[in-house]
Amino acid sequence: MTIDRIEADYLIETSFPPEAAAESMAGEQSSGTFLAIPGETPELKARAAARVERLEVLGDAAAPSLPGSGSPRSASEPRRVTANVTLSWPVSNLGPSLPNLVATVAGNLFELKQFSGLRLLDIRMPAAFADAYQGPQFGIDGTRRLAGVEGAPILGTIIKPSVGFGPEETAALVERLALAGIDFIKDDELQSDGPHCPFDERARAVMAVINDVAQRTGKKAMFAFNLTGNLDQMKHRHDLVQSLGGTCIMAGLNSVGLVGMIELRRHSALPIHAHRNGWGYLSRHPMLGWSYIAWQKIWRLAGADHMHVNGLRNKFAESDDSVIASAQACLTPMFPAKPCIVMPVFSSGQTARQAPDTYRRLRSLDLIYLAGGGIMAHPGGPAGGLASIRESWEAAIANVPLEVYSRDHTALAQALETFPS
Amino acid sequence: MTIDRIEADYLIETSFPPEAAAESMAGEQSSGTFLAIPGETPELKARAAARVERLEVLGDAAAPSLPGSGSPRSASEPRRVTANVTLSWPVSNLGPSLPNLVATVAGNLFELKQFSGLRLLDIRMPAAFADAYQGPQFGIDGTRRLAGVEGAPILGTIIKPSVGFGPEETAALVERLALAGIDFIKDDELQSDGPHCPFDERARAVMAVINDVAQRTGKKAMFAFNLTGNLDQMKHRHDLVQSLGGTCIMAGLNSVGLVGMIELRRHSALPIHAHRNGWGYLSRHPMLGWSYIAWQKIWRLAGADHMHVNGLRNKFAESDDSVIASAQACLTPMFPAKPCIVMPVFSSGQTARQAPDTYRRLRSLDLIYLAGGGIMAHPGGPAGGLASIRESWEAAIANVPLEVYSRDHTALAQALETFPS
């Protein structure tokens, strides 16, 4: 990539000649219009035009993946193909601005009639973007330091039920978990400031027990308080958590949006746990929307410290390959001078069962591993559930099969019985 | 709808028994978890549970629309159906918070394995939401007052090329358009603050000519300056536009996000022209994502004054029926005490051709009608292009066919020749 151009990779499906279709993307997202315009000059267009850098036809597509696409007027037998396309833009079209980058690489083009499929696969930004945004403040090292966990994944859980608990019920559960020695607990993404569980009361009740347990045991659980809300609410809630000795905040990326995240990062003195709920509507059709590889870069540069990536054998529709690719992306540097590495968060239907495969495939311990029912519904209670997951990670690191390791590790043995594969 | 519950309508596709699938949505988005949790009680669950209010099976679906869906374990021959489902939530789960509403009605559920298709069709909010957000500040009446247009659509254009022009080239084109008597001009969504066309310089150059023409002719064009950016940038740019006598600002909704829009509304003293670029990735697959009916309600309550709805016979993949339904939604009250009516913006491949059908189908003149090439590429120049569109709306309102009206209206006649149907 030349130093001053933005690049984006797309998967397209089109019955138009693919070169012409790719040029229509470039035109729509830069100096194009559907008719020649007075005042346009070749110099102007050349200065601002997006370029088709690469085009690779992958193969034939049978039926159109998406409705509404047109056909070229002159071709008697249009052939529909899929292709990989890379476009580039001069950064001088927009400057190093994340909100305007989104409009440029992911704007109107998904609606173009030329395409019966169009998905954004990846984005590469010039270094000017690294200078313009803060990126993660804590990342892996800062999170480990605050959580007091080295040499192992950060093990955690989610407060369930998602909604229904009040502050005292939440705090009572947190106390059990903290006494069990848990590293990390998070609010559910549905729980921010409901009248039955107001944020401020919950934060005070939860931090009272976390601080108390920390004094007694020396282990201070990191609690990610979901402060998703309007900007003033989020700032107030952040300040409250900080004043109470809390060590993490959480926000829903699709709820707050890019400006909300950028502002939260500017204000925050705590790690930002970024929830991706709503990700399905951005990604679930394979010929539409965003790949996680592209999407997570926006939020890492904006300032997320932890990014959700789903989990292996999860309760959702996503494949294990996709989950691992997402987590690897979070651990891959974005810029030489500002790598923006964030902790991938594995979550959704996780128990002691998935640790070995997670480690085998990711080859890293830099992750947050969240189990809800896998900890809470263990026959030994939260302490047993947590122990079972610690033991499963020990087994994974030692490359010992779970069934073998469980012979002299009771909590793990109970987990394998309770949560069949 | 009971007064204290949020409702959302969905289109689903599932091979599970549809009742069970609907219950899984309700569980995932409220008090559910995949295993029973200590501390849960029937009272807690009942207080917070989402309810399936309605379920209507529509018919059979052949192949799954989306990958990754599972099948029920016990059914030997699963039947795949589509259905309409309405869920409701107690507002006390989240309080009247738009960011948390999005997490509740459009969170994790799109990824659930039970579904091979899931689309959010509509949202109904209790009145508490109307009290919590400002809604549009100007809407139809305020926009008409500032634009000086009554009894007709607001006619406008987009500065093209999208990127490439500098401030002086932009201002020169604006002067031609303003002298032609145009009502409205907007920046392209790709043009905010690029180094070749810095926002501040562009605003100063454009407002100088708009103010100058207004002094000479008495007609002051409304220019929607695209201030999309970080929050401090947007506030600065708004203040500059206001200080220069400008009458409109513009932001990309998918670029700034919900918190950005809420903050912009709080700060703004000008109408907010809301661009929807990126809408395709949210909506183009008919069994995934958001319908515009649901989506536009979020942004209207957050404070948009003008909402883009595409246009008839547009250059994109959207059908005319969908465009009209979107525009009608913008003109439909949201709350008795706070209707939040916004001006629908028709745009994309519009010329004099589409005015009669637009009026016939919408039965309203409360709209902004934008033509790019349809004004700029008219043989009579921008003045001729604008005249042709005015004449086409006169014909539409008088219910006279364009071909008839064009006999003694030259600009319209030239448009019909230049832009074949």
Side-chain angles (χ1 to χ4, degrees):
Chain A
M1 186 175 70
T2 59
I3 200 147
D4 59 349
R5 291 185 80 85
I6 297 155
E7 285 194 357
D9 303 330
Y10 301 89
L11 174 64
I12 63 169
E13 180 187 291
T14 183
S15 63
F16 286 66
E19 296 77 13
E23 288 294 345
S24 74
M25 295 169 72
E28 174 68 23
Q29 292 309 110
S30 63
S31 48
T33 180
F34 79 112
L35 288 161
I37 294 298
E40 276 186 339
T41 64
E43 293 73 27
L44 275 187
K45 293 200 91 156
R47 181 171 79 174
R51 283 202 308 245
V52 179
E53 298 284 351
R54 281 177 289 282
L55 172 67
E56 182 195 6
V57 174
L58 301 173
D60 288 337
S65 295
L66 302 172
S69 62
S71 291
R73 293 178 185 200
S74 55
S76 54
E77 272 189 52
R79 179 189 162 205
R80 188 177 305 275
V81 299
T82 55
N84 282 325
V85 175
T86 298
L87 301 187
S88 76
W89 292 261
V91 70
S92 58
N93 277 21
L94 56 148
S97 164
L98 280 178
N100 291 298
L101 177 71
V102 168
T104 299
V105 302
N108 276 340
L109 71 177
F110 299 89
E111 297 178 71
L112 289 171
K113 268 188 181 145
Q114 283 88 342
F115 300 97
S116 55
L118 196 149
R119 184 170 173 93
L120 176 56
L121 299 181
D122 202 355
I123 310 168
R124 289 172 293 281
M125 304 173 219
F129 280 84
D131 299 335
Y133 291 92
Q134 294 178 285
Q137 186 174 188
F138 291 87
I140 291 168
D141 293 346
T143 298
R144 286 195 175 283
R145 193 172 61 246
L146 286 173
V149 178
E150 299 295 336
I154 293 178
L155 303 185
T157 192
I158 307 118
I159 295 293
K160 299 275 182 182
S162 314
V163 284
F165 275 175
E168 293 311 320
E169 291 147 328
T170 305
L173 181 55
V174 168
E175 186 168 33
R176 288 183 68 183
L177 293 160
L179 285 171
I182 202 161
D183 303 326
F184 185 96
I185 311 171
K186 66 177 275 293
D187 278 328
D188 194 89
E189 80 275 9
L190 297 172
Q191 184 63 271
S192 174
D193 186 44
H196 290 315
C197 197
F199 186 93
D200 292 9
E201 282 181 53
R202 182 169 78 256
R204 288 197 180 92
V206 165
M207 285 315 301
V209 302
I210 285 181
N211 288 328
D212 179 59
V213 172
Q215 278 216 321
R216 288 150 61 194
T217 68
K219 169 84 176 174
K220 184 172 182 174
M222 174 177 274
F223 192 104
F225 289 98
N226 179 16
L227 50 61
T228 300
N230 303 340
L231 186 58
D232 51 349
Q233 294 170 334
M234 293 200 290
K235 287 181 175 177
H236 161 80
R237 292 170 191 162
H238 165 277
D239 295 352
L240 176 65
V241 170
Q242 189 187 14
S243 75
L244 296 168
T247 55
C248 194
I249 56 171
M250 162 177 158
L253 298 175
N254 292 314
S255 288
V256 305
L258 194 43
V259 163
M261 185 62 187
I262 293 164
E263 287 301 308
L264 186 59
R265 169 63 180 89
R266 285 183 174 174
H267 184 80
S268 185
L270 300 171
I272 301 173
H273 187 87
H275 203 282
R276 71 177 197 179
N277 71 82
W279 171 241
Y281 66 69
L282 295 172
S283 66
R284 190 164 164 195
H285 195 288
M287 289 304 301
L288 182 65
W290 292 70
S291 83
Y292 195 76
I293 310 301
W295 194 74
Q296 49 96 35
K297 286 185 176 176
I298 304 284
W299 301 105
R300 285 164 62 187
L301 184 56
D305 290 288
H306 313 154
M307 290 283 295
H308 275 245
V309 298
N310 210 339
L312 298 188
R313 305 195 288 280
N314 57 76
K315 66 180 173 181
F316 296 122
E318 190 175 4
S319 72
D320 288 354
D321 285 352
S322 173
V323 171
I324 293 295
S326 296
Q328 285 169 335
C330 293
L331 297 171
T332 303
M334 280 183 65
F335 304 97
K338 186 177 271 188
C340 296
I341 304 291
V342 298
M343 282 202 119
V345 182
F346 285 74
S347 180
S348 171
Q350 301 297 289
T351 69
R353 287 273 177 197
Q354 292 100 325
D357 285 343
T358 303
Y359 184 56
R360 180 180 60 80
R361 297 200 57 177
L362 189 64
R363 305 312 310 171
S364 173
L365 297 173
D366 289 329
L367 63 120
I368 298 175
Y369 189 84
L370 300 182
I375 283 183
M376 307 277 208
H378 189 279
L386 179 63
S388 76
I389 289 179
R390 274 206 204 293
E391 289 163 5
S392 74
W393 275 95
E394 290 166 10
I397 295 167
N399 200 25
V400 176
L402 291 186
E403 284 65 25
V404 175
Y405 204 74
S406 69
R407 286 178 202 152
D408 47 4
H409 291 87
T410 313
L412 180 58
Q414 288 178 309
L416 299 184
E417 194 178 320
T418 307
F419 311 116
S421 62
Chain B
M1 186 177 67
T2 59
I3 202 148
D4 59 349
R5 290 186 79 85
I6 297 156
E7 283 193 358
D9 303 329
Y10 301 88
L11 173 63
I12 63 169
E13 180 186 290
T14 183
S15 62
F16 286 66
E19 297 77 11
E23 289 295 344
S24 75
M25 294 169 70
E28 175 67 22
Q29 292 309 112
S30 63
S31 48
T33 180
F34 78 113
L35 288 161
I37 293 298
E40 278 187 341
T41 65
E43 293 72 27
L44 275 187
K45 292 200 92 156
R47 180 170 81 173
R51 283 202 307 248
V52 179
E53 299 282 351
R54 281 177 289 281
L55 172 67
E56 183 196 4
V57 174
L58 300 173
D60 288 335
S65 294
L66 302 173
S69 62
S71 291
R73 291 177 188 201
S74 55
S76 55
E77 271 190 53
R79 180 188 162 206
R80 188 178 303 277
V81 299
T82 57
N84 281 326
V85 175
T86 298
L87 301 187
S88 77
W89 293 259
V91 70
S92 59
N93 277 22
L94 57 150
S97 163
L98 281 178
N100 290 299
L101 177 71
V102 168
T104 298
V105 303
N108 276 340
L109 70 177
F110 299 90
E111 296 178 72
L112 289 171
K113 270 189 180 143
Q114 284 86 342
F115 301 96
S116 55
L118 196 150
R119 186 171 172 93
L120 176 56
L121 299 181
D122 202 355
I123 309 169
R124 290 173 293 282
M125 303 173 222
F129 279 85
D131 299 334
Y133 291 92
Q134 294 179 286
Q137 185 173 189
F138 291 87
I140 291 167
D141 292 348
T143 299
R144 286 195 174 286
R145 192 172 63 246
L146 286 174
V149 178
E150 300 294 338
I154 293 177
L155 304 185
T157 192
I158 307 119
I159 295 293
K160 298 274 183 184
S162 314
V163 284
F165 274 177
E168 292 311 319
E169 291 147 329
T170 305
L173 181 56
V174 168
E175 185 168 34
R176 288 183 69 181
L177 293 160
L179 284 171
I182 202 159
D183 302 325
F184 184 96
I185 312 171
K186 66 177 275 294
D187 278 327
D188 193 89
E189 80 275 9
L190 297 173
Q191 184 62 269
S192 174
D193 186 45
H196 290 315
C197 196
F199 185 93
D200 291 9
E201 282 182 51
R202 182 169 79 255
R204 289 197 180 92
V206 165
M207 285 315 302
V209 302
I210 285 180
N211 288 329
D212 179 61
V213 171
Q215 279 217 323
R216 288 148 63 191
T217 68
K219 169 84 176 174
K220 183 172 182 173
M222 174 176 274
F223 193 104
F225 289 97
N226 179 18
L227 51 61
T228 299
N230 303 340
L231 186 58
D232 51 348
Q233 294 170 335
M234 293 201 289
K235 287 181 174 177
H236 161 81
R237 292 168 192 164
H238 164 276
D239 295 351
L240 176 66
V241 170
Q242 187 187 16
S243 75
L244 295 168
T247 55
C248 194
I249 55 171
M250 161 177 157
L253 298 176
N254 293 313
S255 288
V256 304
L258 193 43
V259 163
M261 186 65 186
I262 293 164
E263 287 301 308
L264 186 59
R265 168 65 180 89
R266 286 184 174 173
H267 184 81
S268 185
L270 300 171
I272 300 173
H273 187 84
H275 203 281
R276 70 176 197 180
N277 70 82
W279 170 241
Y281 65 69
L282 295 171
S283 66
R284 190 165 165 194
H285 195 286
M287 289 306 299
L288 182 65
W290 293 71
S291 84
Y292 196 78
I293 310 302
W295 193 74
Q296 49 97 36
K297 286 185 176 176
I298 304 283
W299 301 105
R300 285 164 62 187
L301 184 57
D305 291 288
H306 313 153
M307 289 283 293
H308 275 246
V309 298
N310 211 340
L312 299 187
R313 305 195 286 282
N314 57 76
K315 67 180 171 178
F316 296 123
E318 189 175 4
S319 73
D320 288 355
D321 286 351
S322 172
V323 171
I324 292 296
S326 296
Q328 285 169 336
C330 293
L331 297 170
T332 302
M334 279 184 64
F335 304 99
K338 188 176 268 188
C340 295
I341 304 290
V342 297
M343 284 203 115
V345 182
F346 285 74
S347 181
S348 171
Q350 302 297 287
T351 70
R353 287 273 177 195
Q354 291 101 325
D357 286 342
T358 303
Y359 184 57
R360 179 180 59 78
R361 298 200 57 178
L362 190 64
R363 305 313 308 169
S364 173
L365 297 173
D366 288 330
L367 63 122
I368 298 175
Y369 189 84
L370 301 182
I375 284 183
M376 306 276 207
H378 189 278
L386 179 63
S388 76
I389 289 179
R390 276 207 201 293
E391 290 164 4
S392 74
W393 274 96
E394 291 165 9
I397 294 166
N399 199 24
V400 176
L402 290 185
E403 285 65 25
V404 175
Y405 203 74
S406 70
R407 284 176 204 153
D408 47 6
H409 290 88
T410 313
L412 180 57
Q414 289 177 309
L416 299 183
E417 196 178 317
T418 307
F419 310 116
S421 61

mmCIF file of all heavy atoms in Angstrom, chain B residues 148-165:
data_model
loop_
_atom_site.group_PDB
_atom_site.id
_atom_site.type_symbol
_atom_site.label_atom_id
_atom_site.label_comp_id
_atom_site.label_asym_id
_atom_site.label_seq_id
_atom_site.Cartn_x
_atom_site.Cartn_y
_atom_site.Cartn_z
ATOM 1 N N GLY B 148 -37.613 29.069 3.211
ATOM 2 C CA GLY B 148 -38.494 29.996 2.505
ATOM 3 C C GLY B 148 -39.318 29.328 1.427
ATOM 4 O O GLY B 148 -39.521 29.890 0.342
ATOM 5 N N VAL B 149 -39.765 28.112 1.697
ATOM 6 C CA VAL B 149 -40.548 27.364 0.699
ATOM 7 C C VAL B 149 -41.852 26.901 1.338
ATOM 8 O O VAL B 149 -41.838 26.176 2.327
ATOM 9 C CB VAL B 149 -39.771 26.124 0.193
ATOM 10 C CG1 VAL B 149 -40.625 25.337 -0.811
ATOM 11 C CG2 VAL B 149 -38.447 26.532 -0.434
ATOM 12 N N GLU B 150 -42.973 27.310 0.757
ATOM 13 C CA GLU B 150 -44.285 26.848 1.239
ATOM 14 C C GLU B 150 -45.068 26.295 0.054
ATOM 15 O O GLU B 150 -44.950 26.778 -1.065
ATOM 16 C CB GLU B 150 -45.074 28.001 1.889
ATOM 17 C CG GLU B 150 -44.395 28.639 3.085
ATOM 18 C CD GLU B 150 -44.252 27.709 4.295
ATOM 19 O OE1 GLU B 150 -45.021 26.728 4.394
ATOM 20 O OE2 GLU B 150 -43.361 27.963 5.124
ATOM 21 N N GLY B 151 -45.848 25.266 0.323
ATOM 22 C CA GLY B 151 -46.772 24.766 -0.695
ATOM 23 C C GLY B 151 -46.138 24.002 -1.836
ATOM 24 O O GLY B 151 -46.785 23.772 -2.866
ATOM 25 N N ALA B 152 -44.912 23.625 -1.683
ATOM 26 C CA ALA B 152 -44.224 22.848 -2.727
ATOM 27 C C ALA B 152 -43.107 22.071 -2.063
ATOM 28 O O ALA B 152 -42.695 22.408 -0.947
ATOM 29 C CB ALA B 152 -43.650 23.779 -3.806
ATOM 30 N N PRO B 153 -42.630 21.024 -2.726
ATOM 31 C CA PRO B 153 -41.446 20.347 -2.180
ATOM 32 C C PRO B 153 -40.256 21.295 -2.164
ATOM 33 O O PRO B 153 -40.204 22.259 -2.936
ATOM 34 C CB PRO B 153 -41.202 19.193 -3.156
ATOM 35 C CG PRO B 153 -42.439 19.070 -3.971
ATOM 36 C CD PRO B 153 -43.072 20.420 -3.996
ATOM 37 N N ILE B 154 -39.328 21.024 -1.295
ATOM 38 C CA ILE B 154 -38.053 21.737 -1.292
ATOM 39 C C ILE B 154 -37.163 21.072 -2.334
ATOM 40 O O ILE B 154 -36.904 19.872 -2.250
ATOM 41 C CB ILE B 154 -37.423 21.707 0.114
ATOM 42 C CG1 ILE B 154 -38.302 22.539 1.070
ATOM 43 C CG2 ILE B 154 -35.994 22.204 0.092
ATOM 44 C CD1 ILE B 154 -37.838 22.540 2.509
ATOM 45 N N LEU B 155 -36.745 21.858 -3.323
ATOM 46 C CA LEU B 155 -36.000 21.293 -4.458
ATOM 47 C C LEU B 155 -34.515 21.576 -4.297
ATOM 48 O O LEU B 155 -34.125 22.723 -4.040
ATOM 49 C CB LEU B 155 -36.503 21.880 -5.770
ATOM 50 C CG LEU B 155 -38.005 21.707 -6.039
ATOM 51 C CD1 LEU B 155 -38.343 22.236 -7.432
ATOM 52 C CD2 LEU B 155 -38.433 20.257 -5.881
ATOM 53 N N GLY B 156 -33.730 20.544 -4.481
ATOM 54 C CA GLY B 156 -32.310 20.741 -4.225
ATOM 55 C C GLY B 156 -31.411 19.861 -5.035
ATOM 56 O O GLY B 156 -31.855 19.081 -5.881
ATOM 57 N N THR B 157 -30.140 20.001 -4.746
ATOM 58 C CA THR B 157 -29.125 19.210 -5.446
ATOM 59 C C THR B 157 -27.976 18.897 -4.507
ATOM 60 O O THR B 157 -27.952 19.353 -3.358
ATOM 61 C CB THR B 157 -28.635 19.941 -6.710
ATOM 62 O OG1 THR B 157 -27.866 19.033 -7.512
ATOM 63 C CG2 THR B 157 -27.775 21.151 -6.357
ATOM 64 N N ILE B 158 -27.058 18.092 -5.016
ATOM 65 C CA ILE B 158 -25.883 17.648 -4.269
ATOM 66 C C ILE B 158 -24.662 18.169 -5.001
ATOM 67 O O ILE B 158 -24.591 18.083 -6.233
ATOM 68 C CB ILE B 158 -25.832 16.111 -4.221
ATOM 69 C CG1 ILE B 158 -27.140 15.555 -3.691
ATOM 70 C CG2 ILE B 158 -24.638 15.614 -3.408
ATOM 71 C CD1 ILE B 158 -27.869 14.657 -4.666
ATOM 72 N N ILE B 159 -23.696 18.688 -4.258
ATOM 73 C CA ILE B 159 -22.459 19.135 -4.892
ATOM 74 C C ILE B 159 -21.731 17.925 -5.452
ATOM 75 O O ILE B 159 -21.413 16.987 -4.722
ATOM 76 C CB ILE B 159 -21.553 19.876 -3.882
ATOM 77 C CG1 ILE B 159 -22.222 21.172 -3.415
ATOM 78 C CG2 ILE B 159 -20.178 20.154 -4.490
ATOM 79 C CD1 ILE B 159 -22.370 22.225 -4.486
ATOM 80 N N LYS B 160 -21.514 17.934 -6.758
ATOM 81 C CA LYS B 160 -20.769 16.867 -7.428
ATOM 82 C C LYS B 160 -19.697 17.525 -8.283
ATOM 83 O O LYS B 160 -19.928 18.598 -8.813
ATOM 84 C CB LYS B 160 -21.696 16.036 -8.336
ATOM 85 C CG LYS B 160 -22.814 15.330 -7.600
ATOM 86 C CD LYS B 160 -22.380 13.992 -7.073
ATOM 87 C CE LYS B 160 -23.565 13.272 -6.398
ATOM 88 N NZ LYS B 160 -23.191 11.999 -5.780
ATOM 89 N N PRO B 161 -18.534 16.932 -8.463
ATOM 90 C CA PRO B 161 -18.180 15.599 -7.987
ATOM 91 C C PRO B 161 -18.157 15.524 -6.465
ATOM 92 O O PRO B 161 -17.921 16.515 -5.783
ATOM 93 C CB PRO B 161 -16.786 15.369 -8.566
ATOM 94 C CG PRO B 161 -16.219 16.726 -8.798
ATOM 95 C CD PRO B 161 -17.397 17.574 -9.167
ATOM 96 N N SER B 162 -18.389 14.313 -5.981
ATOM 97 C CA SER B 162 -18.462 14.067 -4.549
ATOM 98 C C SER B 162 -17.228 14.586 -3.838
ATOM 99 O O SER B 162 -17.310 15.221 -2.790
ATOM 100 C CB SER B 162 -18.561 12.566 -4.293
ATOM 101 O OG SER B 162 -19.497 11.963 -5.141
ATOM 102 N N VAL B 163 -16.085 14.282 -4.404
ATOM 103 C CA VAL B 163 -14.822 14.777 -3.868
ATOM 104 C C VAL B 163 -13.984 15.232 -5.052
ATOM 105 O O VAL B 163 -14.120 14.718 -6.160
ATOM 106 C CB VAL B 163 -14.057 13.691 -3.084
ATOM 107 C CG1 VAL B 163 -14.676 13.466 -1.718
ATOM 108 C CG2 VAL B 163 -14.015 12.385 -3.860
ATOM 109 N N GLY B 164 -13.139 16.215 -4.818
ATOM 110 C CA GLY B 164 -12.296 16.725 -5.891
ATOM 111 C C GLY B 164 -12.329 18.248 -5.918
ATOM 112 O O GLY B 164 -11.295 18.889 -6.054
ATOM 113 N N PHE B 165 -13.506 18.830 -5.774
ATOM 114 C CA PHE B 165 -13.622 20.283 -5.727
ATOM 115 C C PHE B 165 -12.952 20.839 -4.464
ATOM 116 O O PHE B 165 -13.018 20.234 -3.398
ATOM 117 C CB PHE B 165 -15.104 20.696 -5.674
ATOM 118 C CG PHE B 165 -15.770 20.814 -7.008
ATOM 119 C CD1 PHE B 165 -17.133 21.118 -7.080
ATOM 120 C CD2 PHE B 165 -15.080 20.646 -8.203
ATOM 121 C CE1 PHE B 165 -17.781 21.245 -8.294
ATOM 122 C CE2 PHE B 165 -15.725 20.761 -9.434
ATOM 123 C CZ PHE B 165 -17.076 21.061 -9.473
#
